[in-house]
Amino acid sequence: MFMGIWISLISFIAVIVSGISLIIAVVKRRPKKRLGYILGGSVILFIAGAILSPSSLSLAVISPEVETDGSGKATIEGEATTDAVLTINGETVKNSNGSFRYTVHLQDDNEQNVVVKAVLKDQKKEQEVLIKPSKEFVAYLEAEKAEKELTKQVETALALAEADPTQKNYDEAATLVHSLSKTYEDYDQRLSLLQDHIQIASALEKAEQSLSRTDLETATKLVAASANKANFDDRLTTLQTKVAEKEAHEKLQAQAVKAVEKAEAEPTEANLSAATSAIAQLPSANEGLTQRAEAVRQTIAEQERQLAKAEQERQAAAEQQANQASQSNQDTSNQAEEYVMITKTGAKYHTHKCGNGTYFSVTLSEALSKGLTPCKKCF
């Protein structure tokens, strides 16, 4: 190392001396060739000495304190000897013609000391740079922390809604998902599936309560269009069976009602029998229709009693009328026949009491039948 310095120093002096001598020789017109060789050799020696002499190591950072940007990144810049090997926190950094740049990314809101080292042969230098988190980065970290906490709440709410897919649980999960600062495709897909599930479950529940054909068709369309149709197939099949049974029951019910109404309008044994048969075909007892059929039965029985009574009354009236006619004929006969007065022992019949004795009235025909003859005084 020192040899190179001495060679450089001696050759530098030789260059100066030989150069001056060469100038003087030119001015005084003396021989120059020898001086030219000496000057050339001195320059060569100077260059060789410079090569053999070690370079001085330099290291300088632009700022000993660097603040991060909003994402937590900070750039360290500086200069160093061109041939020096640079490392920052143990990581080799490219030395571009004596300058360097290195980016540090903080992971939290704590300050970080970064060590910049330069090595050139047996020379070493190092400097510390303090990386400070900016207010924007601290705010970003707080927002990320809040987002992470909110994400945990979202996961819990979604898990609850998926285990118990009610509208209330869905609304709570959806509110949390929509309050996130970022869009999460997975959460949106899970919400979509939940909404689809709840819509189908609601339609099925409505159809199960009403058992109407319209509600069944609505639920069937929703299940057919769902990606989770397999989850509802059994329930839908059961519902279809119940609706078919209800419709069959309603048909039998309508037939029974119609038969009862006909029996009520025309209370005959034939209509009552048809109504009773229709009621018997119902899958479950219908007390209302049974009571109405019984009322028809009582009506028919009452009608029969009334008819029997009317017949009796007709017969009695006919008999009375016949008796009255017979009596009337007898009365008419009696009014047409002549009455006379007789005694129990007399041989004559009289028009009035004629002499002593007890008289009583009889018809002339009766007196004649007894063999009595008219009284000469009375006739």
Side-chain angles (χ1 to χ4, degrees), residues 166-372:
T166 64
Q167 188 64 48
K168 177 177 177 293
N169 290 340
Y170 168 81
D171 291 340
E172 291 177 354
T175 299
L176 289 172
V177 170
H178 295 152
S179 65
L180 293 169
S181 62
K182 301 176 184 177
T183 299
Y184 296 83
E185 185 177 351
D186 176 60
Y187 293 160
D188 290 341
Q189 289 178 348
R190 291 169 70 181
L191 278 179
S192 178
L193 290 174
L194 271 172
Q195 188 176 33
D196 183 53
H197 184 104
I198 291 171
Q199 186 179 14
I200 294 173
S202 177
L204 284 171
E205 183 177 355
K206 182 181 178 182
E208 288 165 345
Q209 291 175 353
S210 68
L211 293 179
S212 75
R213 175 63 58 178
T214 300
D215 290 341
L216 171 62
E217 290 175 352
T218 299
T220 301
K221 290 179 181 178
L222 290 174
V223 171
S226 172
N228 295 323
K229 60 181 299 183
N231 295 334
F232 300 100
D233 281 344
D234 292 343
R235 189 174 175 185
L236 182 61
T237 300
T238 301
L239 176 59
Q240 289 169 337
T241 301
K242 289 183 177 180
V243 171
E245 290 175 350
K246 181 196 173 190
E247 290 175 343
H249 180 273
E250 288 176 343
K251 184 177 180 180
L252 292 174
Q253 178 82 4
Q255 291 173 348
V257 169
K258 185 177 180 180
V260 170
E261 289 175 346
K262 183 177 181 181
E264 289 172 335
E266 301 176 23
T268 64
E269 286 293 342
N271 289 342
L272 176 60
S273 177
T276 304
S277 176
I279 293 172
Q281 292 179 23
L282 294 176
S284 59
N286 190 310
E287 185 176 351
L289 290 179
T290 301
Q291 290 177 351
R292 289 170 67 182
E294 180 60 28
V296 172
R297 189 186 307 279
Q298 294 175 3
T299 299
I300 293 174
E302 180 63 25
Q303 287 177 342
E304 291 176 348
R305 286 194 295 271
Q306 291 295 331
L307 287 173
K309 181 179 178 182
E311 179 63 21
Q312 291 176 353
E313 290 177 349
R314 185 192 65 76
Q315 292 178 358
E319 184 178 351
Q320 182 180 7
Q321 186 177 5
N323 291 337
Q324 288 176 348
S326 176
Q327 183 65 37
S328 177
N329 291 336
Q330 185 177 0
D331 291 343
T332 303
S333 175
N334 290 338
Q335 291 175 359
E337 192 171 3
E338 183 180 357
Y339 281 84
V340 294
M341 302 293 290
I342 65 173
T343 62
K344 289 184 178 181
T345 59
K348 302 290 182 178
Y349 59 87
H350 309 272
T351 59
H352 61 280
K353 288 183 179 182
C354 182
N356 297 325
T358 302
Y359 289 84
F360 57 91
S361 176
V362 296
T363 62
L364 178 59
S365 60
E366 187 178 353
L368 291 175
S369 67
K370 292 180 178 292
L372 299 179

Side-chain angles (χ1 to χ4, degrees), residues 8 10 20 46 57 63 67 91 98 119 132 141 175 178 243 247 249 262 277 280 291 295:
S8 297
I10 292 172
I20 293 172
F46 179 76
L57 178 62
S63 175
E67 191 174 85
E91 182 179 346
V119 177
K132 292 184 175 182
L141 289 175
T175 299
H178 295 152
V243 171
E247 290 175 343
H249 180 273
K262 183 177 181 181
S277 176
Q291 290 177 351

Side-chain angles (χ1 to χ4, degrees), residues 14 18 22 32-45:
S18 61
L22 182 60
K32 305 181 285 291
K33 188 173 183 180
R34 183 180 176 189
L35 292 173
Y37 288 142
I38 294 173
L39 178 60
S42 299
V43 170
I44 292 171
L45 286 173

